[in-house]
Amino acid sequence: MKKNEDIEQQTTEQAEVDTAENTTEEPQTAETQAGEAEASQEAAEEAEGQEAAEELEAVKKQLSEGVERMKRLQADFENFRRRTRQEKEELSNMVVQDFIKDLLPMIDNFDRAMAAEAADGAKFQQGVEMIYNQLAEILKNKGLEKIDTTDAKFDPNFHQAVMRVENPDLEDESIAMELQKGYMVKGKVIRPAMVQVVANS
């Protein structure tokens, strides 16, 4: 009987020891788990921070490339504007040079007319007429057109009325007289014809 009691006591003591050991191990296991969780969280945060840094660097790179591209485009545009302006000036100079070149024969004829003897009025008049016809031909070749007012009705797009007169032989709004010639260049009015307009009523 006493032997059985000894066995039970030993069993109880062993159970108490095991319980004490288990109780001691549990806090160690929880602490270890908490440390692992914290380490895992730190690793995740570090990975997120590295990923965010990489994205930021990528955005900075794209922004820098965009700025450089914009600078190149701006420089190209400025060069284009400069070339266009130079070409326009050169073209304008060429047009003026060609026009003046066409007028040089007229200057020659003026020189000849003025060199003629004053007594020879017919020759002088002939020279002036020749110069006039020559000038008219040059301007015509450049696109100059005379606005015709013969038997025409008043049109404010082509005529400038400076006077209204009564004329029973003509209808109202007819052009009674041309006071100054009007001209167009390639269909565009550069000076309207100055006219008298009939107003009977």
Side-chain angles (χ1 to χ4, degrees):
M1 186 72 177
K2 185 177 181 180
K3 187 177 181 179
N4 290 335
E5 289 177 357
D6 292 338
I7 293 172
E8 288 177 2
Q9 185 178 359
Q10 290 176 359
T11 302
T12 301
E13 290 175 355
Q14 183 64 41
E16 290 176 356
V17 171
D18 293 340
T19 302
E21 290 178 355
N22 290 335
T23 303
T24 304
E25 290 176 357
E26 285 179 359
Q28 293 177 352
T29 303
E31 184 178 351
T32 302
Q33 290 176 350
E36 291 176 353
E38 185 177 354
S40 177
Q41 184 177 359
E42 290 178 355
E45 291 177 354
E46 184 178 354
E48 290 179 359
Q50 184 176 359
E51 184 178 354
E54 291 176 354
E55 291 179 357
L56 180 60
E57 287 299 323
V59 171
K60 286 182 178 180
K61 184 178 180 181
Q62 291 178 356
L63 181 61
S64 177
E65 291 175 351
V67 171
E68 290 299 323
R69 191 180 303 113
M70 184 183 68
K71 289 181 179 179
R72 288 195 298 271
L73 289 174
Q74 186 176 6
D76 291 341
F77 180 68
E78 289 298 328
N79 291 334
F80 170 76
R81 288 181 59 186
R82 184 167 54 254
R83 287 197 306 270
T84 303
R85 184 170 58 251
Q86 291 175 349
E87 291 173 357
K88 185 177 180 180
E89 290 176 356
E90 291 175 0
L91 180 60
S92 177
N93 291 336
M94 289 178 60
V95 171
V96 172
Q97 291 169 7
D98 290 342
F99 182 68
I100 292 176
K101 184 178 179 181
D102 291 339
L103 294 179
L104 293 180
M106 287 182 52
I107 295 177
D108 296 336
N109 289 331
F110 267 119
D111 290 338
R112 295 188 186 98
M114 289 185 294
E117 295 183 5
D120 195 350
K123 188 175 182 180
F124 180 80
Q125 182 178 359
Q126 182 181 4
V128 172
E129 289 178 355
M130 182 174 62
I131 294 170
Y132 174 81
N133 292 333
Q134 194 173 19
L135 175 60
E137 185 65 21
I138 291 172
L139 296 177
K140 181 180 179 181
N141 291 336
K142 297 296 181 182
L144 184 70
E145 303 173 62
K146 179 180 174 295
I147 296 176
D148 189 12
T149 59
T150 306
D151 298 328
K153 289 281 190 179
F154 174 74
D155 186 342
N157 296 313
F158 300 97
H159 311 131
Q160 179 183 357
V162 295
M163 189 181 301
R164 291 188 175 273
V165 296
E166 292 184 2
N167 188 335
D169 297 331
L170 297 175
E171 297 179 358
D172 286 354
E173 298 301 313
S174 297
I175 295 177
M177 182 183 297
E178 181 183 72
L179 304 177
Q180 186 181 69
K181 294 179 180 179
Y183 293 96
M184 299 184 295
V185 175
K186 297 181 179 180
K188 182 178 177 63
V189 176
I190 60 173
R191 189 181 76 179
M194 191 179 297
V195 297
Q196 289 180 348
V197 180
V198 175
N200 293 319
S201 56

